[in-house]
């Protein structure tokens, strides 16, 4: 491969790639060509590509060190990175070289790519954002580290069993992980519990009751064109004494290993079910574990390179991805005050200048807070520091004349009922920048959750609209469209996604529209083939592929889509003679294991699918599909094949969304509400190239405040009431007719997510979608305009804004 890259590694440049892969296979895997199975070829290919990356990795690290460059540290409890091989090969510009080398050995690159396990170290959008950001940071040649947890079993694997979600452990590390490097020299002591004593010098000393070792495991992140390789550093927990031999020898085998088990439990799974007190405590332990290890690592590096800890903000920018790492604020304060002898005020200035915080949600139930007794028991020194920070914060606010009501809203301690530590307030207070992830979301932050903090710190909140990396979400997942674009507008868009605007005039070119439509159809044929192989489904590639894939949550309103699907089904049955647009309704997504209604919505989608797909009166006019185990790799297959992108959250509830951006850049039209980044997509593609319906965020708030007649809303719509009644009465669940009674009852009772209130608008909008589809030239032109106008949603643009406005590194 090296021969094909800009700067070949000197010692390997002359050895053909195929020979290097065979050599790796022999010497690192222990197999010859004859005995090698696909997973052996995968490992040999990854290790060979990795060798290429390592030289660049070390060069990047060295260059940043020599330049004394400021580094960006991105702390996130989730990194939903997916598969890495295709990303690495593609960013190294070695697609053809690797494919041809493997072909000469009788191995199909696509086939081995497909067996690489998905690194599912995240739930959804927040974790995927962190992964896109890491890729963009490397592509923009910014020195950066991602810090997170190396979950042995990340997000659960979803199986659909008789229509119900089953959660199975994801064993992504079962056969090892050739991408990672354990760094035994980078290990830290992380303590929990115990007590704090005051020393004679007036300082504090924390003696934890227990401790684990955090060991760094590094994964290289290759930027576009292999320019730079950054590090994703994930922590794994170890016991200091893996085995207590005294206990073992006394016959207490379990007791001998208890410490190790306890340590390993820390980094076992992502988001343990927090409905039990034990689960909650584990979650807080995870957050502190990875925050502490990361902050210790950052402080150690700074002191080693630059000597004086007071210059930390000049050389390090730490971004908190949501509040999960917010305890880092208290951890840095602890290290500065207790270990580096700064005064509290000095430490506070350093801390605030170093941290930035990104908020991802306004949902009150998702705003993290910890019961004060739990926090105090686990982190007694941090509790003291939180009190001290709070005192300073509230003193300052009072000096500004803030009233009691606002004081209690600003406080780091929630005093209403059981006392709790508010992590969002801690992150806000401890950062010089607090950003939202789309324009609307940022405005709502100012007027809702952070209204009082915003009044005290009016310059702190800013907006950074999310983005996606166009390498993974266009070039790699949609090679057909990428070649067509290169032929049509040249290669500039590969380095600058905003150069896609050159495509706009081609929307008027009939020949180009046909070629564009042909690429989409090929992607649909490929997806149909995949679903035939994996689910034994037969889909018509000429039907409209209408797709809603994302975590299952009531605010995302899969239920609205399903009810409309039922209404459509009813209409098609009643009026088979009409000119219906054939549709495939495709759903995928995981529900949190403790989220009853979300799991019921999955079952409903499957029940509706079962009935509709088996109805001979419907044929290919309507098919409903729930694809199991939504993850990054599945998204990469589905999105390039989508015609219609469902982004239909209750306005004001989706902070940004990034799925919406992935679909648009792959030429799907959006049907959506004025929520999150949908609004900014609409502003760019124009009102005629997107389908907008429903209540605005303001109207949602007014509805909720003033109340409305739910029953009248449902009864007033014949289509809606028929569909709701059919579902409620068991038409789709004859085996358990009452299954959806409560779910439908909720629409009459509270309808918090305004499903019924938005139904008519949504259904009418879908008929406008049908009309446009019947006019294929108009549809294709609109799809082309979407591709042309959404390059702005590249995470390169987002990262440039963070770099300039928050981190000061550009
Ligand atoms: C992009 C992405 C998401 C986020 O999707 P939204 O529609 O923005 O909620 C979630 N999961 C995966 C696997 C993704 O790729």
């Amino acid at each position: 491969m090296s021969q094909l890259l800009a700067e070949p590694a000197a010692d390997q440049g002359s050895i053909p790639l195929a020979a290097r892969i065979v050599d790796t296979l022999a010497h690192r895997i222990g197999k010859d060509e004859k005995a090698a199975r696909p997973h052996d070829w995968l490992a040999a290919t990854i290790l060979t590509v990795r060798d290429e990356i390592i030289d660049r990795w070390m060069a990047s690290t060295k260059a940043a060190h020599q330049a004394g460059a400021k580094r960006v540290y991105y702390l996130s409890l989730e990194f939903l990175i997916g598969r890495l091989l295709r990303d690495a090969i593609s960013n190294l510009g070695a697609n053809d070289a690797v494919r041809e080398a493997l072909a000469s050995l009788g191995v199909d690159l696509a086939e081995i790519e497909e067996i690489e396990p998905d690194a599912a170290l995240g739930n959804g959008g927040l974790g995927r954002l962190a992964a896109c950001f890491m890729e963009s940071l490397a592509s923009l040649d910014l020195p950066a580290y991602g810090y997170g947890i190396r979950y042995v079993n990340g997000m659960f694997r979803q199986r659909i069993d008789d229509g119900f979600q089953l959660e199975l452990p994801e064993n992504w590390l079962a056969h090892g992980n050739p991408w990672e490097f354990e760094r035994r020299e980078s290990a830290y002591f992380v303590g929990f519990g115990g007590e704090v004593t005051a020393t004679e010098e007036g300082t504090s000393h924390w003696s934890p009751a227990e401790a684990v070792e955090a060991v760094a495991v590094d994964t290289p992140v290759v930027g576009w064109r292999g320019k730079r390789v950054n590090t994703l550093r994930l922590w794994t927990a170890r016991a200091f004494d893996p085995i207590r031999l005294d206990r073992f020898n006394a016959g207490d085998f379990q007791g001998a290993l208890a410490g190790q088990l306890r340590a390993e439990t820390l980094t076992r799974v992502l988001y343990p079910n927090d409905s039990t007190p034990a689960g909650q405590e584990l979650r807080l332990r995870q957050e502190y574990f990875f925050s502490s290890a990361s902050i210790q690592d950052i402080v150690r590096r700074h002191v080693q390179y630059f000597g004086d800890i007071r210059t930390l903000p000049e050389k390090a920018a730490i971004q908190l991805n949501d509040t999960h790492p917010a305890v880092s604020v208290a951890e840095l304060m602890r290290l500065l005050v207790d270990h580096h002898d700064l005064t509290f005020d000095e430490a506070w200035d350093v801390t605030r200048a170093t941290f930035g915080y990104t908020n991802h949600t306004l949902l009150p139930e998702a705003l993290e807070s910890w019961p004060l007794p739990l926090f105090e028991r686990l982190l007694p020194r941090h509790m003291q520091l939180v009190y001290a920070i709070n005192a300073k914060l509230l003193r300052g606010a009072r000096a500004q004349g803030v009233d009691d009501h606002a004081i209690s809203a600003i406080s780091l301690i929630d005093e209403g009922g059981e006392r709790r530590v508010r992590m969002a307030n801690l992150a806000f207070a401890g950062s010089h920048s607090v950003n939202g992830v789309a324009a609307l979301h940022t405005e709502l932050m100012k007027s809702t959750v952070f209204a009082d903090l915003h009044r005290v710190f009016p310059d702190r909140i800013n907006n950074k609209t999310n983005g996606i990396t166009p390498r993974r979400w266009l070039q790699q997942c949609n090679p057909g469209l990428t070649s067509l674009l290169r032929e049509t507008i040249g290669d500039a868009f590969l380095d600058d996604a905003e150069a896609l605007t050159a495509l706009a005039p081609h929307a008027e070119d009939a020949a180009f529209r046909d070629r564009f439509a042909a690429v989409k159809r090929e992607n649909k044929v490929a997806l149909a083939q995949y679903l035939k192989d994996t689910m034994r489904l037969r889909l018509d590639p000429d039907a409209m592929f209408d797709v809603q894939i994302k975590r299952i949550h009531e605010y995302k309103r899969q239920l609205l889509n399903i009810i409309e699907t039922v209404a459509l089904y009813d209409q098609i049955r009643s009026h088979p003679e009409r000119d219906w647009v054939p549709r495939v309704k495709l759903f995928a997504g995981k529900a949190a294991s403790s989220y009853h209604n979300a799991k019921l919505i999955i079952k409903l989608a499957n029940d509706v699918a079962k009935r509709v797909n088996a109805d001979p009166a419907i044929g290919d006019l309507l098919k409903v599909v729930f694809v199991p185990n939504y993850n990054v790799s599945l998204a990469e297959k589905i999105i390039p094949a989508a015609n219609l992108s469902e982004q239909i959250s209750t306005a004001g509830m989706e902070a940004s969304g990034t799925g919406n951006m992935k679909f648009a850049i792959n030429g799907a039209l959006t049907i959506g509400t004025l929520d999150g980044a949908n609004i900014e997509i609409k502003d760019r593609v124009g009102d005629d190239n997107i389908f907008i319906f429903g209540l605005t965020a303001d109207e949602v708030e007014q509805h909720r405040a003033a109340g409305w007649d739910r029953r009248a809303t449902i009864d007033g719509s014949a289509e809606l009431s028929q569909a709701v009644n059919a579902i409620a009465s068991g038409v789709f669940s004859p085996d358990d007719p009452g299954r959806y009674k409560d779910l439908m009852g909720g629409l009459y009772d509270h309808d918090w997510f305004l499903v019924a209130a938005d139904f008519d608008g949504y259904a009418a909008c879908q008929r406008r979608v049908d009309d446009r589809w019947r006019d294929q030239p108009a549809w294709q032109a609109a799809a082309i305009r979407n591709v042309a106008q959404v390059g702005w949603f590249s995470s390169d643009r987002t990262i440039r804004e963070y770099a300039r406005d928050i981190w000061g590194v550009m």
Side-chain angles (χ1 to χ4, degrees), residues 80 124-125 128 473 549-550 556 630-632 635 657-659 662:
L80 192 49
R128 186 52 235 175
W473 295 111
I549 53 175
K550 47 182 78 239
K556 291 179 182 275
Y630 182 51
N631 61 16
V632 171
T658 48
K662 300 170 196 165

Side-chain angles (χ1 to χ4, degrees), residues 145-166:
Y145 286 76
Y147 278 112
I149 292 179
R150 179 181 177 275
Y151 303 102
V152 172
N153 306 108
M155 185 61 175
F156 66 83
R157 190 154 56 81
Q158 180 193 57
R159 206 164 81 192
I160 301 297
D161 194 4
D162 187 29
F164 289 104
Q165 167 175 296
L166 275 187

Side-chain angles (χ1 to χ4, degrees), residues 608-619:
V608 171
K610 193 168 165 188
R611 168 89 194 240
V612 170
N613 298 351
D615 190 336
I618 297 298

Side-chain angles (χ1 to χ4, degrees), residues 27-336:
H27 294 109
R28 315 251 294 266
I29 314 290
K31 290 266 179 91
D32 64 17
E33 287 179 58
K34 279 217 184 73
R37 305 287 312 269
H39 61 264
D40 300 316
W41 286 114
L42 173 66
T45 306
I46 290 176
L47 290 172
T48 309
V49 171
R50 198 185 77 169
D51 284 346
E52 179 65 42
I53 293 170
I54 288 171
D55 298 333
R56 288 151 189 271
W57 196 7
M58 295 196 298
S60 300
T61 309
K62 206 164 133 194
H65 178 38
Q66 282 171 349
K70 183 169 183 177
R71 289 173 176 75
V72 173
Y73 297 104
Y74 198 79
L75 270 59
S76 179
L77 202 53
E78 300 185 22
F79 286 91
L80 192 49
I81 51 184
R83 291 175 178 151
L84 297 180
L85 178 59
R86 186 165 60 178
D87 194 45
I89 294 176
S90 174
N91 276 2
L92 290 172
N95 276 327
D96 295 342
V98 175
R99 190 181 316 103
E100 284 159 21
L102 285 169
S104 76
L105 299 164
V107 179
D108 180 3
L109 171 61
E111 213 166 278
I112 63 165
E113 276 177 353
E114 194 56 32
I115 56 173
E116 185 183 0
D118 244 68
L121 309 182
N123 269 302
L126 174 149
R128 186 52 235 175
L129 184 78
C132 284
F133 278 9
M134 287 305 297
E135 200 268 0
S136 277
L137 282 159
S139 294
L140 295 175
D141 202 15
L142 294 168
Y145 286 76
Y147 278 112
I149 292 179
R150 179 181 177 275
Y151 303 102
V152 172
N153 306 108
M155 185 61 175
F156 66 83
R157 190 154 56 81
Q158 180 193 57
R159 206 164 81 192
I160 301 297
D161 194 4
D162 187 29
F164 289 104
Q165 167 175 296
L166 275 187
E167 298 109 33
L168 305 173
E170 181 64 88
N171 238 337
W172 72 294
L173 291 172
H175 305 292
N177 177 2
W179 288 112
E180 63 184 27
F181 291 84
E182 186 174 309
R183 306 293 190 195
R184 245 167 281 177
E185 71 283 7
S186 296
Y188 297 95
F189 174 105
V190 178
F192 297 99
E195 56 190 42
V196 181
T197 46
T199 65
E200 281 175 15
E201 299 87 51
T203 58
S204 296
H205 181 76
W206 176 28
S207 322
E210 50 172 322
V212 297
E213 187 177 33
V215 180
V217 180
D218 287 352
T219 299
V221 180
V222 186
W224 172 232
R225 296 202 191 275
K227 238 188 264 170
R228 167 175 207 93
V229 181
N230 279 330
T231 302
L232 174 60
R233 174 159 283 189
L234 303 177
W235 299 103
T236 190
R238 298 265 166 80
F240 282 98
D241 289 321
I243 177 163
R244 291 275 306 271
L245 273 181
D246 54 336
R247 289 202 189 160
F248 196 88
N249 292 337
D252 176 13
F253 305 134
Q254 282 188 2
L257 296 168
Q260 181 68 5
L261 180 67
R262 202 170 158 74
E264 283 175 2
T265 302
L266 255 181
T267 50
R268 172 62 70 173
V269 291
L270 168 66
Y271 285 20
N273 188 338
D274 61 2
S275 55
T276 65
Q280 261 188 43
E281 176 169 338
L282 179 57
R283 176 66 185 268
L284 178 56
R285 281 173 179 265
Q286 284 187 327
E287 292 184 357
Y288 178 64
F289 166 77
F290 104 96
S291 296
S292 173
S294 307
I295 299 297
Q296 289 186 63
D297 201 34
I298 294 166
V299 167
R300 192 246 335 133
R301 186 174 300 114
H302 182 82
V303 171
Q304 183 187 327
Y305 289 180
F306 304 108
D308 183 3
I309 193 62
R310 287 177 174 79
T311 61
L312 184 69
E314 293 160 35
K315 298 295 179 186
I318 307 177
Q319 193 66 27
L320 304 172
N321 194 26
D322 213 330
T323 56
H324 315 141
V327 70
S328 299
V329 168
E331 177 69 355
L332 181 57
M333 286 296 289
R334 181 182 75 87
L335 295 180
L336 296 178

